Amino acid sequence: MTEKITDSPVTEHRIITPGQKKGDSVSARARFFKKVQQQTVALPTDGSVAADIQAFCQRMAEFAQQIQQWFDGAGIRVTVASKYVQDLSTVGHSLNSGALRYEITTVRLQNDPRSVSILPEQLYRGGEKGCVTMTVNAPDRIPVKQLFYLCMAPEAGWFIRGEHQAIVKNVIMTEDIFFRAIENLA
């Protein structure tokens, strides 16, 4: 049901929701912004964004080093490289209020024809910080492709979850969980 309001130069219609009485002054716009405010995750300001980027880059470098140690002498090719991330998740949270660009470590594991790519994507996503995708490609296995989302755990290490799992399903990524996730690389 809608209510027509005629006391302004522009005719406005408000939706009357169940439990709301005709004449209540809460507009759809006000409800919308109230809902946005309730669901918005507070992102850090300038100083902590730089610190978060530094921590993200450091954590990825340490992760790459750990992976190299795990696979040393195993016959699996480990390629550690870097890429530049133009991070749109930092818009409005840096001194220039634009997206920040930074260089960060990437990892690729190759066991022909199977591979695992570990690629940093962005600093913030929802309530997560330090967001990385880990893709397991195994063209000769089922499933052919598996996608995992990693994010930085609060103090050290990483959280991991499957592609279709909610953030609440994040678990601390141990060595055992990592190797179970990339099992199709073998």
Side-chain angles (χ1 to χ4, degrees):
M1 178 163 117
T2 64
E3 173 184 15
K4 186 175 179 183
I5 300 169
T6 57
D7 59 339
S8 71
V10 177
T11 302
E12 179 183 347
H13 291 272
R14 293 191 182 143
I15 298 172
I16 309 267
T17 57
Q20 183 179 3
K21 295 180 179 129
K22 197 172 181 179
D24 283 356
S25 64
V26 178
S27 69
R29 180 176 183 257
R31 280 193 310 276
F32 173 83
F33 285 111
K34 183 177 180 183
K35 193 174 190 179
V36 167
Q37 186 178 28
Q38 290 171 345
Q39 295 179 2
T40 299
V41 174
L43 291 178
T45 57
D46 276 332
S48 62
V49 170
D52 287 347
I53 290 171
Q54 185 178 9
F56 187 24
C57 292
Q58 179 66 34
R59 195 89 57 99
M60 276 303 298
E62 291 168 357
F63 187 32
Q65 187 176 38
Q66 180 65 62
I67 290 170
Q68 286 177 312
Q69 289 173 359
W70 286 338
F71 287 94
D72 187 37
I76 306 262
R77 187 170 54 244
V78 179
T79 305
V80 175
S82 64
K83 77 173 193 172
Y84 283 93
V85 173
Q86 185 75 24
D87 197 334
L88 297 176
S89 75
T90 62
V91 170
H93 301 283
S94 64
L95 288 174
N96 64 6
S97 294
L100 294 176
R101 185 173 189 254
Y102 51 90
E103 186 174 13
I104 192 163
T105 303
T106 65
V107 181
R108 182 170 173 83
L109 304 171
Q110 190 75 40
N111 186 21
D112 289 327
R114 299 173 290 280
S115 67
V116 174
S117 298
I118 302 171
L119 301 171
E121 298 296 329
Q122 62 191 52
L123 187 59
Y124 304 115
R125 179 175 40 232
E128 298 179 308
K129 188 186 308 179
C131 304
V132 176
T133 56
M134 183 169 76
T135 307
V136 180
N137 285 304
D140 59 340
R141 304 278 168 95
I142 295 176
V144 171
K145 182 178 179 180
Q146 294 172 288
L147 182 64
F148 298 92
Y149 294 111
L150 283 65
C151 68
M152 295 190 313
E155 298 300 320
W158 299 90
F159 286 124
I160 185 171
R161 63 183 160 86
E163 176 179 15
H164 300 291
Q165 292 180 314
I167 291 173
V168 297
K169 296 291 185 175
N170 278 346
V171 295
I172 290 288
M173 184 172 65
T174 62
E175 180 179 340
D176 185 62
I177 290 172
F178 174 79
F179 279 97
R180 279 191 276 152
I182 66 161
E183 186 174 9
N184 280 348
L185 179 65

